[in-house]
């Protein structure tokens, strides 16, 4: 019982940390990186506590770990600057552990998926509103001015709002539509998410970032 309670507490911390990564990417990338590493570390503690290492035998995980070992042990010693290469290659293990934690632990139930989808949809809405306000008034609600180049920044310190929205909107909308498939109000939900996608696409267009607009529009 103690073990189950402890692991559930670790899961709650990891779930909250996962939800905090998207907003942290707006202005605190270092904090987002720390949260990513924390989730992977807690996943290792959970795996050791329950003696559950089955995820290591999954073919995809084997391939990812083999690629990381190749970069760290084979490529790095042959690099032009081995030490600089090593300091970049070695910490990449955190992304592999983060992926494993997301896949095999944090998001294994529908309710956690649904909460994450709705949370991300809310973040997209807030960013769209903030950026549109900046487009109309020259300053966003988060107190950021239009960039000197004339492109919009939204809640960011520089011109990244377009690429952020374009990378986030498709998986978020896809997840929300998937979860709404069996919902009795799926027609209303589908229309709502379609409008959200359109608003995001318009925001990316007026942000002045052509490549992100092409990515989202394609």
């Amino acid at each position: 019982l103690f073990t189950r309670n402890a692991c559930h507490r670790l899961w709650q911390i990891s779930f909250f940390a996962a939800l905090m990564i998207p907003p942290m990417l707006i202005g605190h990338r270092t904090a987002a990186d720390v949260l990513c590493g924390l989730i992977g570390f807690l996943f290792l503690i959970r795996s050791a506590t329950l003696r559950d290492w089955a995820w290591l035998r999954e073919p995809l995980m084997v391939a990812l770990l083999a690629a990381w070992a190749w970069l760290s042990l084979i490529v790095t010693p042959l690099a032009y600057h081995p030490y600089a290469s090593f300091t970049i290659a070695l910490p990449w293990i955190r992304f592999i552990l983060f992926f494993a934690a997301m896949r095999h632990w944090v998001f294994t139930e529908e309710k956690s998926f649904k909460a994450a989808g709705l949370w991300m949809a809310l973040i997209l809405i807030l960013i769209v509103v903030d950026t549109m306000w900046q487009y109309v008034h020259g300053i966003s609600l988060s107190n950021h001015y239009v960039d000197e180049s004339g492109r919009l920044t939204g809640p960011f310190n520089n011109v990244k709002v377009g690429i952020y929205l374009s990378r986030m909107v498709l998986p978020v909308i896809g997840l929300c539509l998937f979860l709404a498939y069996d919902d009795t109000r799926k027609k209303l939900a589908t229309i709502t998410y379609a409008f959200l996608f359109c608003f995001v696409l318009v925001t990316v267009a007026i942000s002045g970032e052509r490549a992100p607009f092409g990515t989202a529009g394609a």
Side-chain angles (χ1 to χ4, degrees):
L1 180 61
F2 173 77
T3 300
R4 286 201 302 269
N5 289 338
C7 288
H8 182 66
R9 182 67 64 181
L10 293 179
W11 177 87
Q12 290 178 323
I13 296 173
S14 298
F15 179 68
F16 178 76
L19 294 183
M20 287 298 101
I21 288 178
M24 289 297 102
L25 286 173
I26 296 176
H28 306 280
R29 293 185 61 185
T30 301
D33 212 18
V34 170
L35 291 175
C36 175
L38 174 64
I39 293 172
F41 177 69
L42 294 180
F43 180 58
L44 289 179
I45 294 178
R46 173 261 181 196
S47 298
T49 301
L50 299 180
R51 298 180 181 179
D52 177 15
W53 302 99
W55 54 274
L56 285 173
R57 296 192 292 270
E58 184 184 51
L60 180 57
M61 288 303 305
V62 172
L64 290 173
L65 291 172
W68 172 73
W70 173 267
L71 290 174
S72 301
L73 303 177
I74 306 299
V75 176
T76 291
L78 301 176
Y80 188 75
H81 294 291
Y83 178 75
S85 177
F86 183 77
T87 58
I88 295 175
L90 186 65
W92 264 85
I93 187 65
R94 71 189 186 279
F95 295 119
I96 298 176
L97 294 176
F98 174 73
F99 168 75
M102 295 294 100
R103 178 179 174 86
H104 297 280
W105 184 39
V106 179
F107 292 115
T108 56
E109 297 183 4
E110 182 177 324
K111 61 181 181 180
S112 59
F113 267 114
K114 183 173 293 187
L118 294 175
W119 169 247
M120 277 302 304
L122 176 61
I123 291 176
L124 292 181
I125 292 172
L126 292 176
I127 293 177
V128 166
V129 171
D130 191 68
T131 307
M132 288 294 190
W133 187 274
Q134 186 184 56
Y135 176 71
V136 175
H137 299 282
I139 183 174
S140 66
L141 293 172
S142 55
N143 202 36
H144 291 87
Y145 289 93
V146 176
D147 187 72
E148 294 179 355
S149 63
R151 291 184 291 176
L152 303 180
T153 64
F156 294 85
N157 293 323
N158 47 28
V159 288
K160 293 180 180 178
V161 65
I163 193 65
Y164 183 93
L165 290 174
S166 65
R167 288 181 176 178
M168 290 293 186
V169 66
L170 294 179
V172 171
I173 296 297
L175 175 60
C176 290
L177 289 176
F178 172 77
L179 293 174
Y181 181 76
D182 293 327
D183 198 316
T184 55
R185 297 167 296 178
K186 63 180 180 180
K187 185 175 181 179
L188 176 61
T190 301
I191 294 174
T192 301
Y193 297 136
F195 271 108
L196 174 59
F197 176 75
C198 291
F199 283 129
V200 170
L201 197 60
V202 169
T203 304
V204 175
I206 67 174
S207 72
E209 299 180 60
R210 290 170 297 200
F213 178 74
T215 300

